[in-house]
Amino acid sequence: MSRLVVDFITCDAHGICAELLPEWITLDDWGYPKLHTGAIPPELLPHARRAVAACPTLALHLRDH
Amino acid sequence: MTSVSTGRAVDPSRRAAPHPGLPRLIPGVITDLREHLDRYGSLPSLRRRDARGAFFDAVDHSGLRGRGGAAFPTARKLHAVANGRRGAFVVANGAEGEPASQKDSTLMRAAPHLVLDGALIAADAVRAGTVFVVVDRNDVMAFDAMAAAIDQRRAAYPGGPTVELVGLPSRYVAGESSALVNFLSGGPAKPMFVPPRPYERGIRGRPTLVQNVETLANLALIARYGADWYRGLGTADEPGSVLVTVGGAVALPGVYEVALGTPMSTVLEVVGGVTEPISALLVGGYFGSWIDAAAVDKLEVTHAGLARAGGTLGCGVITAFPASRCGVHESVRVARYLAEETAGQCGPCVNGLSAIVGGIETLAAGRPAERTRADVLRWLDDVSQRGACHLPDAVVEFLRSALDVFGEEFSRHELHWKCSATDPEPLLPLPDPATRDWGWR
């Protein structure tokens, strides 16, 4: 069970996460990510990991429960 | 679970438990240490292992929850800090950033030694060497009361943990526990990204027990009289008493201590009744929500009961809002204040709150663009749960309930009809613009 969380203090609205994981992440009117809640489906996990690694401000985190 | 009402390992000078009824926390103004000890007896020491075990059992069994607003189980934090790394800190949180709340300030002025007792027994339990007592730096009376009490303690009991009194910037979010940790570590009084939570990693990376001052005062009584005594008031799920700040259109506004589970109608009777017809109650402060006056008879003062009514007990603010005032204007005033209190850290909060408040002001002024209402509702959905702290959530709850309870009045405003209020005076307390604190350090 993994969840994605955003540290909004660090997030700078680059929007790369929404490009890499559009199934799970969209952007609000100001470009900040809006995430689905709950556990990431297993088939999206590799993409979620890629989005985490690509975040320029390291604001996206994958948390295990 | 072990019952410790007759507790074994206790200080021989401990008093027999008094009647479990009210008042518990504020029987009068007791600022003198000797008078305090005469009334309550001395604080038990937890140095012996059985005493320490009995104390933890008592807290577990008491069911005490935090009185700062979030109602987090006190025992959980206490165990986490006690079992964490060495060199823990204790923070007595008397910051009370909620402008409509006065209960922490009142408690510190009336029972500063009970608050200190709670902080000291907590420090004993988690083996902390330093206790920070944090008070809003604009709250001079509470600050002075705590300073005098700390001085008396130092003179009477040299040694013991270091107790440091700290004045905190008077900001809405500064009393949030991660903001306190940030400030006490030398940073701005701004919330931090959690987890790790302060009880896991707090001041200088050490486990830090942050407890509201009312929670600590209760802890001081549980340490002396035990869990069964504590549970002698309140409901099975939410035992004990709670301090509430009752204001608005009531005969005797002020801070009252009531048993959890008390019907809201009884609370309004205790404060002398309402002085004019009311349209709504604001429960939980600006972190809480508006509840239609028609529902008052069904409300009870518990977290669960108010949650069922779509509200929250929060930090215990209960404001009777008179029908003669405009709920739209009041809601806009408070929402504007909350938006101004952003720490400026999180994008959704910085952008979203100012957009929401701009939109709601447009609705209140009348003849808004067609999309304004839809925009506001969408932004309220958008900012929810998207900040390091819960300031955005406060605005969401407050305004959603305002749009619901004052729906008719909002429609009048949007249509640019005459506002139905007969009294234009603002009612809900906000910081005085002349002395408003804009600092974070």
Side-chain angles (χ1 to χ4, degrees):
Chain A
M1 289 280 279
S2 297
R3 272 183 335 121
L4 276 176
V5 291
V6 181
D7 175 352
F8 279 107
I9 297 177
T10 316
C11 174
D12 238 348
H14 287 89
I16 294 167
C17 55
E19 271 177 45
L20 293 176
L21 195 58
E23 301 89 339
W24 203 256
I25 304 178
T26 56
L27 300 178
D28 68 12
D29 289 9
W30 302 276
Y32 291 90
K34 292 195 286 184
L35 277 60
H36 289 269
T37 49
I40 306 268
E43 66 274 17
L44 286 183
L45 257 181
H47 300 280
R49 289 205 184 91
R50 222 153 60 91
V52 167
C55 175
T57 59
L58 306 179
L60 193 62
H61 301 267
L62 202 54
R63 290 244 161 88
D64 293 316
H65 263 275
Chain B
M1 218 165 274
T2 326
S3 164
V4 291
S5 61
T6 53
R8 305 157 301 276
V10 290
D11 195 282
S13 67
R14 192 171 100 152
R15 297 297 146 102
H19 184 269
L22 296 171
R24 287 179 166 188
L25 299 176
I26 309 184
V29 177
I30 302 177
T31 55
D32 181 66
L33 178 57
R34 190 169 306 273
E35 199 187 329
H36 168 77
L37 293 174
D38 279 347
R39 182 176 180 96
Y40 297 103
S42 61
L43 191 66
S45 162
L46 306 185
R47 203 154 302 154
R48 283 177 49 190
R49 248 179 81 184
D50 51 350
R52 195 158 177 271
F55 173 75
F56 276 98
D57 283 350
V59 180
D60 288 344
H61 183 50
S62 73
L64 177 63
R65 284 166 177 266
R67 296 287 191 256
F72 193 83
T74 304
R76 286 238 300 269
K77 272 199 224 173
L78 204 62
H79 281 287
V81 175
N83 297 330
R85 291 174 66 198
R86 292 171 62 99
F89 290 95
V90 168
V91 179
N93 187 358
E96 196 160 51
E98 183 70 52
S101 179
Q102 294 163 17
K103 58 104 178 165
D104 290 336
S105 178
T106 302
L107 177 66
M108 288 186 284
R109 283 182 279 142
H113 285 293
L114 206 53
V115 172
L116 277 184
D117 276 351
L120 292 171
I121 198 85
D124 202 353
V126 304
R127 303 197 166 100
T130 302
V131 170
F132 291 102
V133 178
V134 181
V135 182
D136 185 323
R137 64 185 173 195
N138 275 358
D139 189 352
V140 177
M141 295 222 283
F143 191 92
D144 289 350
M146 291 312 301
I150 292 167
D151 283 348
Q152 289 180 45
R153 293 286 174 129
R154 270 192 202 124
Y157 307 104
T162 309
V163 179
E164 205 175 305
L165 182 61
V166 179
L168 188 76
S170 186
R171 303 300 304 254
Y172 194 76
V173 298
E176 195 269 341
S177 63
S178 73
L180 283 181
V181 162
N182 200 351
F183 186 75
L184 293 170
S185 304
K190 295 182 174 189
M192 296 190 290
F193 180 62
V194 293
R197 300 186 185 280
Y199 57 81
E200 296 158 338
R201 208 163 75 208
I203 299 167
R204 284 172 237 149
R206 300 293 171 161
T208 300
L209 184 75
V210 180
Q211 293 288 6
N212 169 266
V213 289
E214 182 189 344
T215 316
L216 291 172
N218 276 299
L219 206 57
L221 296 178
I222 291 167
R224 287 181 166 97
Y225 309 134
D228 288 349
W229 173 87
Y230 178 77
R231 299 184 68 91
L233 264 188
T235 70
D237 287 339
E238 299 185 37
S241 69
V242 64
L243 295 176
V244 291
T245 311
V246 190
V250 296
L252 302 164
V255 173
Y256 293 81
E257 183 179 6
V258 299
L260 279 156
T262 303
M264 188 63 83
S265 52
T266 306
V267 174
L268 294 177
E269 274 165 37
V270 166
V271 302
V274 295
T275 52
E276 56 177 302
I278 62 170
S279 57
L281 286 183
L282 178 62
V283 185
Y286 306 154
F287 230 95
S289 41
W290 294 101
I291 300 177
D292 197 294
V296 166
D297 286 341
K298 284 174 282 190
L299 300 180
E300 57 164 39
V301 180
T302 55
H303 293 280
L306 286 162
R308 275 196 301 276
T312 168
L313 178 54
C315 61
V317 172
I318 298 168
T319 308
F321 191 73
S324 61
R325 317 274 179 129
C326 177
V328 172
H329 280 148
E330 287 293 332
S331 299
V332 169
R333 271 179 74 232
V334 169
R336 164 65 59 198
Y337 160 74
L338 291 173
E340 286 168 356
E341 286 299 309
T342 179
Q345 302 187 114
C346 301
C349 179
V350 173
N351 298 290
L353 297 194
S354 69
I356 287 165
V357 171
I360 210 99
E361 280 176 344
T362 308
L363 295 184
R367 301 208 178 98
E370 214 166 300
R371 54 176 295 181
T372 306
R373 179 175 261 268
D375 278 344
V376 168
L377 295 176
R378 183 166 49 86
W379 291 328
L380 286 173
D381 286 342
D382 275 0
V383 302
S384 186
Q385 304 286 324
R386 284 173 76 231
C389 74
H390 292 295
L391 183 67
D393 306 337
V395 173
V396 170
E397 280 309 305
F398 183 81
L399 282 182
R400 272 192 190 146
S401 62
L403 286 163
D404 181 26
V405 171
F406 301 119
E408 217 171 288
E409 192 62 34
F410 265 101
S411 301
R412 291 183 67 93
H413 278 252
E414 283 169 60
L415 292 165
H416 208 64
W417 293 358
K418 193 175 176 301
C419 168
S420 63
T422 52
D423 188 344
E425 271 304 293
L427 179 95
L428 297 172
L430 288 178
D432 179 355
T435 55
R436 178 128 177 221
D437 193 344
W438 293 100
W440 292 104
R441 220 15 262 183

